[in-house]
Amino acid sequence: MLRLAALILLPLLGFAQAPLVIKDVTLIDGSGGPPLFNATVVVIGERIVLIGEGGTLEVSPGAEIVDGKGKTLVPGIINLHGHIGLTKGLAQSQEYYSRANVIDNLLIYARYGVTTTTSMGTDLDLVIGVRDEIDRGGLPGHARVITALQGFTIRSGYPTHVPGVKGLAIEVSSANEARNHVDRLAESGAQLVKMWVDGHHGSFEKLGTEICQAIIEQAHDRGLLAAAHLYELSDAKRLAEAGLDLIVHSVRDAEVDRGLIRRLLARGITYAPTLTREQSTFVYADSPAWLEDPFFASRVDSSVIQGLKTTMRENQSKDPEQEINRENFRMAMRNLKKLSDAGVKIGFGTDTGPPARFAGYFEHWEAELMVEAGLTPMQVIVAYSKNSSEGLGIDRDFGTLAEGKVADMILLNSNPLVSIRNLRDIHTVYVGGRAVSR
């Protein structure tokens, strides 16, 4: 870390935006190391060019100077599991999947400090154009998106019964068929593949080991990551053995054991617990107080909130699987703590995007639930930045705040190490060094 004495930041030609200088800020870089106090962070273009400590800094006219005194700078949130484009209000349909809806979803993510999201298996191909436009610097102020395009399941498997998913999920019945679809996804621009491996308490047939192995191997041959939605401990073990890269739901049917822990550690698999997804299956029956929280309500249409208080509450109150869902959540919480304590790489995911799972707000709720499960605020920040970027293979440019990396970051009015709820106390979100309108 450079200790500043005096630095003249000269105007640089070729950059449309003025240099950004955040001075006298507390910096939590996402690496897990101690905070840097009285730091100065200099951004030119979309990248951090200097991080210094103390001293003085002279800058040329035209630079944007932000007084960070009393504030904390943290990495932007990377979400390993989300969905975009399919939902309007509390309904989900392929009819709703449009460029406008995708862009709106990515704007909402960014306003909450989610600077990158991973869209897991329910995209139409138009997302590729949006992704590429954002990566080229277009659509400033929107979250970046990494897409799996369409995910895999067995013929008539889970979740083909969910509105909007039938005909979108890739239903396969053989390893060769699966390999061919992986090739198509790679050629279409997917960055990873996603599998649903879930029998939903015996209601559906699941992808077998041979097909899963073929999907994973073909993905790796094409330079893609392989991720899985799963539920059972036995499936987590067999997919880990098959070379899976990302587990994007908690194991919920049983307590994780040494057999799974050994596999996850040996293969460096990233585990994203999606605790909010589990709690969302029953929380509306409890009339949560946060429905009135301005941090939530200001970004959600009042008619949607009314639907959560009435129709959703009634439906969840009468759900015959309500107690199963509550136990799934409790098991997910226990398993997260056990895996974290064992040294497994914990990533950050929410499964936001479907009806009643709200992009942006749920990421903050996920962080709070992870602390409730027993992780420290620092561990949560590392999970959503360093670990998630490494899990996606984008850590060269994203994740931690370091010189040379893209300036995706959140300037907070208070310190999240004191309370993870301070992650909500947003002053400014930056995507590629540009402030997001709030």
Side-chain angles (χ1 to χ4, degrees), residues 4 12 36 107 115 117 124 143 152 202 211-212 220 272 280 329 349:
L4 294 173
L12 296 183
L36 181 66
L107 177 60
T115 53
T117 193
L124 298 178
F152 288 88
I211 295 177
C212 291
H220 291 168
S280 73
F329 171 69

Side-chain angles (χ1 to χ4, degrees), residues 202-215:
S203 301
F204 297 91
E205 185 181 354
K206 293 186 289 188
L207 285 170
T209 299
E210 181 183 4
I211 295 177
C212 291
Q213 183 84 53
I215 292 169

Side-chain angles (χ1 to χ4, degrees), residues 272-347:
T274 65
L275 300 172
T276 47
R277 187 270 178 194
E278 303 318 314
Q279 198 166 48
S280 73
T281 62
F282 61 83
V283 72
Y284 298 108
D286 300 333
S287 299
W290 52 258
L291 292 177
E292 306 294 341
D293 179 358
F295 192 67
F296 170 77
S298 63
R299 303 275 183 217
V300 180
D301 189 271
S302 60
S303 64
V304 173
I305 296 174
Q306 185 62 27
L308 297 173
K309 292 178 177 179
T310 55
T311 304
M312 186 65 70
R313 179 186 181 187
E314 181 179 3
N315 290 345
Q316 289 194 348
S317 296
K318 295 178 179 178
D319 185 355
E321 294 187 346
Q322 182 184 157
E323 187 49 45
I324 293 173
N325 293 336
R326 290 179 185 274
E327 179 52 34
N328 286 344
F329 171 69
R330 292 189 287 264
M331 183 65 73
M333 295 278 277
R334 293 195 295 271
N335 282 340
L336 170 59
K337 175 61 172 170
K338 186 171 182 178
L339 291 170
S340 178
D341 288 349
V344 170
K345 182 178 286 187
I346 303 300

Side-chain angles (χ1 to χ4, degrees), residues 13-195:
L13 298 176
F15 291 99
Q17 62 199 86
L20 170 67
V21 181
I22 302 176
K23 299 180 64 175
D24 300 322
V25 73
T26 297
L27 175 67
I28 301 171
D29 65 11
S31 69
L36 181 66
F37 300 101
N38 300 317
T40 295
V41 178
V42 180
V43 178
I44 298 179
E46 69 171 7
R47 294 185 184 266
I48 299 169
V49 298
L50 183 143
I51 296 175
E53 181 180 10
T56 60
L57 178 71
E58 294 182 35
V59 298
S60 61
E64 179 185 357
I65 311 297
V66 176
D67 183 3
K69 191 172 183 62
K71 297 180 175 62
T72 303
L73 191 67
V74 298
I77 297 168
I78 298 174
N79 180 20
L80 286 179
H81 190 170
H83 299 271
I84 56 175
L86 279 181
T87 298
K88 284 190 177 180
L90 291 174
Q92 179 170 283
S93 170
Q94 288 185 48
E95 295 177 15
Y96 302 147
Y97 201 98
S98 66
R99 173 183 165 85
N101 205 23
V102 167
I103 289 172
D104 182 64
N105 290 175
L106 296 176
L107 177 60
I108 290 171
Y109 270 125
R111 285 174 169 168
Y112 277 99
V114 181
T115 53
T116 297
T117 193
T118 311
S119 193
M120 278 290 186
T122 53
D123 284 329
L124 298 178
D125 287 358
L126 70 83
V127 73
I128 298 298
V130 176
R131 178 199 67 190
D132 292 349
E133 185 175 352
I134 292 170
D135 289 349
R136 289 192 302 266
L139 296 173
H142 291 68
R144 308 171 197 280
V145 60
I146 293 171
T147 179
L149 289 178
Q150 298 87 40
F152 288 88
T153 188
I154 199 69
R155 297 282 182 199
S156 300
Y158 180 89
T160 56
H161 68 296
V162 174
V165 178
K166 185 69 176 177
L168 189 57
I170 301 169
E171 300 175 52
V172 294
S173 55
S174 72
N176 285 338
E177 185 183 11
R179 288 181 184 275
N180 290 335
H181 279 292
V182 172
D183 287 340
R184 179 189 64 78
L185 292 173
E187 290 157 9
S188 297
Q191 293 146 289
L192 69 165
V193 298
K194 189 262 186 78
M195 297 171 283

